[in-house]
Amino acid sequence: MTDSDEVDRIVDDWERERPDLDFAPLQVFSRVGRLAKLLDRARKQAFERSELESWEFDVLSALRRAGAPYRLPPKALLAQTLVSSGTMTNRIDRLVSRGLVTRQTDPHDGRGILVEMTPGGLTRVDAAITRLVDAEAELLAGLPAAEQRRLAALLRKLSLGFA
């Protein structure tokens, strides 16, 4: 092994103390956990620089990905953000109060509403995603593009096993 990290040192210690156990899972998931903490930090900074909380980015990015005119019914936002309806109502209220979204009557169903992103919301989410992609690219800079694609494929394969 050419380079070792903190996980290698931890696993070496465990292997010395508990040679009866296979620490291969620890080799993977300890690194994934540590990388997740770095990613959380990078995301938080990207969102803060765009004056957004991570939950605000989640809602605004769902609207942005929907395409112009950047509106969705609350049920679609629930499905994409995996929060309860009460939590989503609270989030929409807070985004409305910040001027980042508005509530519109659904033209196809007068009883329903649509959440529509404002120009200010669009500006913020576009700035945040640009900063996020830049920060994440920096985190991956140590891997050549082919290795990044291979890692993404392996992580996709692993995550599909949990679905």
Side-chain angles (χ1 to χ4, degrees), residues 47 50-64 70 72 74 77-78 81 83 86-103 114-122 124-125:
F47 301 151
S50 301
E51 299 178 11
L52 292 174
E53 298 287 333
S54 64
W55 66 265
E56 291 173 316
F57 176 80
D58 288 345
V59 175
L60 294 175
S61 66
L63 293 168
R64 180 65 166 102
Y70 314 115
L72 289 170
L77 292 170
L78 285 171
T81 59
V83 299
T87 298
M88 182 53 67
T89 298
N90 181 277
R91 289 181 175 186
I92 293 168
D93 289 345
R94 291 171 66 189
L95 288 166
V96 167
S97 73
R98 291 197 58 205
L100 301 176
V101 302
T102 60
R103 284 186 173 90
L114 296 171
V115 178
E116 184 171 326
M117 188 162 35
T118 65
L122 179 62
R124 293 241 178 108
V125 76

Side-chain angles (χ1 to χ4, degrees), residues 12-77:
D12 288 347
D13 290 347
W14 274 118
E15 287 175 336
R16 182 188 68 244
E17 295 300 316
R18 292 292 310 272
D20 57 310
L21 296 177
D22 177 9
F23 290 98
L26 201 64
Q27 291 274 3
V28 173
F29 289 109
S30 291
R31 287 186 175 93
V32 168
R34 288 166 183 267
L35 290 170
K37 288 178 184 176
L38 289 172
L39 179 58
D40 284 345
R41 209 174 301 143
R43 285 182 169 199
K44 185 177 181 186
Q45 290 172 352
F47 301 151
E48 283 177 352
R49 289 181 58 211
S50 301
E51 299 178 11
L52 292 174
E53 298 287 333
S54 64
W55 66 265
E56 291 173 316
F57 176 80
D58 288 345
V59 175
L60 294 175
S61 66
L63 293 168
R64 180 65 166 102
R65 291 189 316 269
Y70 314 115
R71 73 171 80 127
L72 289 170
K75 278 190 177 185
L77 292 170

